[in-house]
Amino acid sequence: MMLFLLHYFCFFLFKFQQIKNIESIGKENKTSVTEFILMGFSDHPHLQLLISGIVFLIFLISVLGNFMFLMLVCADPHLQKPMYFFLSNLSFVDIGNSSVTLSTLLHSLMTGESLISFTLCVAQFYFFVSFIATEFFLLSAMAYDRYVAICDPLRYTLIMNRRACVLLASMSWIIAFLSMVLLGFLISQVNFCKGNVINHFFCDFTALMKLSCGDVFYIEVVLFTEGVTLTIIPSILTLISYIFIISSILKIRSAKGRRKAFSTCSSHLTVICLFYGTLFCIYLRPSSTYSPGQIKLFSLLYTALIPMLNPMIYSLRNQDVKKALTKVIGMNHIKDASCHFPVMYVVRNNPSL
């Protein structure tokens, strides 16, 4: 991780020197656009009310579900484990990603105002790609956690100690957010001369570049380099972890043991398939098949639906989370009962009566 961070630091210095050379050509390349218009789903005006209600409901469930999961992890000592620590970080990513992308869509749907300032648009793009990159690294760290738990269970507590977990999580956030500073800066220097109407519900890279003029080759090079480093490498590490995991599970003789071992990583596999599947459907498609309507629908999946489904997947398929949730609900029932029946509560807590 430290080698990756050092690599990015040197990479930043090299690219910033290139940016200075580009800026020395002239100041006329700076954009005159001060605000953009986000089209959102305005091409379907008859569905505006329905889309508004569905998006708001999904956003509300997503935020509340992830906050509830965070509170459960903090409140229950049985959930103070490495896997739930990484899941808590994933919940923060889901809340941040949904809030950054859906806030402008909800504001536009409810008020009819679809304007976004140039600075806010660049900031939205920066945080969006940073959260996506962070999720790639977190999913890779969780895959490594499952690898150690299944392939080397006797040394699990020794390897996945508190220091190692904090280091893996913090490096995921730091590398992702630092690496996207350069890309965000380069986007802010682009000259947008083909209008200011973005055919999307947030400031997506592909939709933004359709409005740019001039040479954006250096931005595409940076995007490709960071894309390979921040997505392909974690994906390969995740794949390698699961190759070893599946190999170890197949070596277990009893069918019950294999099912139990596989159940510990089934939720993680489900989230990986949803996350990777939607992103690859959007960004690995041929440009000739690019359809703004389809792109916006797929974007809703990983900005709204997946953050809503993640806490459900991990909660409904996890016995520890179910027990913690049942315990919290049971405690609330006891408190409510003691408020309605104070005499019985006093008698129950005073054996002498």
Side-chain angles (χ1 to χ4, degrees):
M1 286 295 183
M2 293 304 295
L3 290 176
F4 279 155
L5 195 58
L6 181 61
H7 165 74
Y8 280 115
F9 180 73
C10 297
F11 183 71
F12 289 159
L13 292 179
F14 175 74
K15 286 299 178 181
F16 272 118
Q17 184 62 41
Q18 285 188 328
I19 293 169
K20 289 181 180 180
N21 295 334
I22 293 171
E23 290 179 335
S24 64
I25 296 175
K27 296 183 179 180
E28 64 275 7
N29 288 332
K30 291 189 176 180
T31 178
S32 59
V33 174
T34 58
E35 59 186 12
F36 292 102
I37 299 174
L38 295 172
M39 283 186 62
F41 296 93
S42 58
D43 46 347
H44 301 286
H46 56 289
L47 296 176
Q48 284 287 90
L49 185 61
L50 178 62
I51 294 174
S52 176
I54 292 175
V55 171
F56 179 75
L57 183 62
I58 292 176
F59 176 72
L60 189 63
I61 295 174
S62 172
V63 173
L64 290 178
N66 282 287
F67 267 122
M68 184 179 295
F69 184 83
L70 288 170
M71 290 193 304
L72 278 178
V73 173
C74 293
D76 197 311
H78 295 93
L79 298 182
Q80 306 297 321
K81 299 176 182 178
M83 180 174 65
Y84 301 108
F85 172 74
F86 290 121
L87 286 176
S88 299
N89 280 267
L90 190 62
S91 291
F92 277 114
V93 171
D94 288 337
I95 292 171
N97 200 359
S98 296
S99 302
V100 165
T101 54
L102 296 182
S103 57
T104 51
L105 176 60
L106 288 171
H107 180 265
S108 175
L109 290 171
M110 293 180 177
T111 64
E113 298 179 4
S114 55
L115 291 176
I116 181 172
S117 67
F118 177 81
T119 303
L120 188 58
C121 185
V122 174
Q124 185 185 53
F125 167 78
Y126 166 74
F127 281 104
F128 166 71
V129 292
S130 297
F131 282 127
I132 292 294
T134 304
E135 187 156 354
F136 270 106
F137 279 107
L138 286 175
L139 290 175
S140 181
M142 292 166 66
Y144 176 71
D145 172 73
R146 294 298 86 203
Y147 159 75
V148 177
I150 293 174
C151 300
D152 199 0
L154 297 179
R155 296 200 304 155
Y156 177 74
T157 55
L158 180 64
I159 297 174
M160 298 304 296
N161 53 55
R162 185 179 182 85
R163 182 175 178 273
C165 293
V166 171
L167 183 63
L168 284 173
S170 59
M171 286 296 100
S172 298
W173 288 91
I174 292 171
I175 291 175
F177 274 77
L178 281 182
S179 63
M180 292 302 170
V181 170
L182 177 62
L183 187 58
F185 179 80
L186 290 175
I187 293 291
S188 68
Q189 304 301 306
V190 173
N191 184 18
F192 297 98
C193 61
K194 297 180 181 179
N196 66 335
V197 180
I198 300 175
N199 191 10
H200 214 295
F201 61 86
F202 72 97
C203 295
D204 180 65
F205 178 81
T206 305
L208 270 174
M209 289 300 100
K210 285 185 173 294
L211 304 178
S212 65
C213 56
D215 187 13
V216 293
F217 173 75
Y218 57 94
I219 297 182
E220 293 175 349
V221 170
V222 173
L223 181 65
F224 176 79
T225 304
E226 293 184 346
V228 169
T229 308
L230 299 178
T231 61
I232 303 301
I233 291 179
S235 301
I236 292 174
L237 293 176
T238 301
L239 179 62
I240 292 174
S241 296
Y242 270 101
I243 289 175
F244 283 105
I245 289 172
I246 294 172
S247 176
S248 297
I249 291 176
L250 292 177
K251 292 178 182 178
I252 300 175
R253 295 182 179 181
S254 66
K256 182 179 179 181
R258 287 195 295 268
R259 285 195 300 270
K260 185 177 180 181
F262 183 75
S263 65
T264 62
C265 54
S266 59
S267 299
H268 183 241
L269 268 176
T270 304
V271 172
I272 285 178
C273 291
L274 287 173
F275 179 71
Y276 278 56
T278 52
L279 286 179
F280 288 167
C281 283
I282 295 175
Y283 296 109
L284 292 184
R285 296 176 56 175
S287 58
S288 59
T289 62
Y290 179 84
S291 170
Q294 293 177 355
I295 295 299
K296 284 185 277 189
L297 287 176
F298 275 111
S299 298
L300 270 180
L301 284 179
Y302 67 79
T303 58
L305 197 60
I306 291 180
M308 181 190 74
L309 292 177
N310 280 350
M312 295 183 183
I313 293 171
Y314 283 112
S315 300
L316 296 178
R317 299 179 63 91
N318 192 291
Q319 294 299 323
D320 291 337
V321 178
K322 287 182 181 179
K323 290 178 182 178
L325 186 60
T326 304
K327 187 186 299 184
V328 171
I329 295 174
M331 290 176 64
N332 288 334
H333 280 311
I334 292 173
K335 289 180 179 179
D336 292 340
S338 64
C339 291
H340 291 295
F341 304 103
V343 176
M344 292 180 63
Y345 178 75
V346 172
V347 171
R348 186 169 62 247
N349 288 273
N350 290 275
S352 59
L353 295 179

